[in-house]
Amino acid sequence: MNKKVLVLSSSPRRGGNSDLLCDQFISGAIESGNEAEKIFLRDKKINYCTGCGICIDRKGKCSQKDDMTEVLNKMVEADVIVMATPVYFYTMCGQMKTLIDRSCSRYTEISNKHFYFIVTAADNNQSAIERTIEEFRGFTYCLDEPEEKGIICGVGAWNKGEIKGLPAMEEAYEMGKAV
Ligand SMILES: Cc1cc2nc3c(=O)[nH]c(=O)nc-3n(C[C@H](O)[C@H](O)[C@H](O)COP(=O)(O)O)c2cc1C
């Protein structure tokens, strides 16, 4: 109740399978009285981290001026962060990895958050998402007191919208509701 939920939807396919699961999660979270916002990363300009190291010297100030400033503010302010990606070549998609790398300037402030991961894949086997989940854990491993609260496994969905007939839709709603 009354948590600030930030959903980071990284698929380039708006209304695609992971994006639909994000919407389900949000519906559930709002239903139980939380505040929820989705950022569709493709709408944002987020450049690659250049590894310049300026953020280390300038304590949290990135040398680049793009939409990552706004996204990072929201990540720092959120109670709950939901990270959603399609599986691309058995890893996360590039948009999500780019966002993670760009958290470099302020990742030490992303502390005491609850995390949920949403992953979709064409492969029917649950193991298809394992490497991607481990990649997310590589990110949260670097944070202060993260709590991994849930994983939505949207396997067996290739075409846009195919997730609609699968149990992950209800699971995402229920997980959002219980946030
Ligand atoms: C570039 C690319 C690579 C993909 N690689 C895999 C893969 O390695 N394993 C798999 O099961 N599905 C793979 N897929 C299928 C997507 O994971 C699947 O269609 C997923 O539902 C897409 O989610 P979205 O609609 O949220 O983008 C790939 C799709 C694309 C476009």
Side-chain angles (χ1 to χ4, degrees), residues 74-132:
K74 290 184 174 175
M75 288 178 81
V76 169
E77 281 165 16
D79 302 303
V80 177
I81 298 178
V82 181
M83 304 180 88
T85 181
V87 166
Y88 278 4
F89 295 97
Y90 291 95
T91 54
M92 65 175 62
C93 71
Q95 287 83 352
M96 180 56 84
K97 184 63 171 76
T98 300
L99 172 133
I100 289 173
D101 293 349
R102 283 296 305 286
S103 73
C104 190
S105 60
R106 294 188 68 191
Y107 74 95
T108 54
E109 295 172 73
I110 306 172
S111 48
N112 298 295
K113 309 295 181 198
H114 288 180
F115 280 91
Y116 292 83
F117 304 133
I118 293 176
V119 185
T120 50
D123 196 318
N124 277 308
N125 200 320
Q126 297 240 346
S127 65
I129 69 160
E130 276 171 11
R131 189 181 287 108
T132 306

Side-chain angles (χ1 to χ4, degrees), residues 23 27 36 51 61 66-67 84 91 96 104 114-115 142 152 160:
D23 292 343
S27 298
K61 285 238 159 65
D66 60 13
D67 294 333
T91 54
M96 180 56 84
C104 190
H114 288 180
F115 280 91
C142 299
I152 309 287
K160 193 171 167 180

Side-chain angles (χ1 to χ4, degrees), residues 1-66:
M1 289 283 268
N2 269 326
K3 290 196 177 115
K4 247 189 197 172
V5 180
L6 178 67
V7 180
L8 302 168
S9 179
S10 72
S11 170
R13 286 207 291 199
R14 193 189 300 278
N17 297 318
S18 56
D19 196 39
L20 287 170
L21 293 175
C22 287
D23 292 343
Q24 286 288 101
F25 192 101
I26 287 172
S27 298
I30 288 173
E31 173 72 29
S32 59
N34 302 285
E35 205 182 296
E37 180 188 359
K38 179 175 81 176
I39 299 181
F40 188 69
L41 296 190
R42 201 175 167 186
D43 291 338
K44 303 290 176 193
K45 183 171 165 46
I46 302 175
N47 299 319
Y48 300 121
C49 174
T50 61
C52 67
I54 286 177
C55 62
I56 314 289
D57 303 333
R58 281 210 267 150
K59 278 211 167 166
K61 285 238 159 65
C62 183
S63 61
Q64 301 196 58
K65 292 199 173 16
D66 60 13

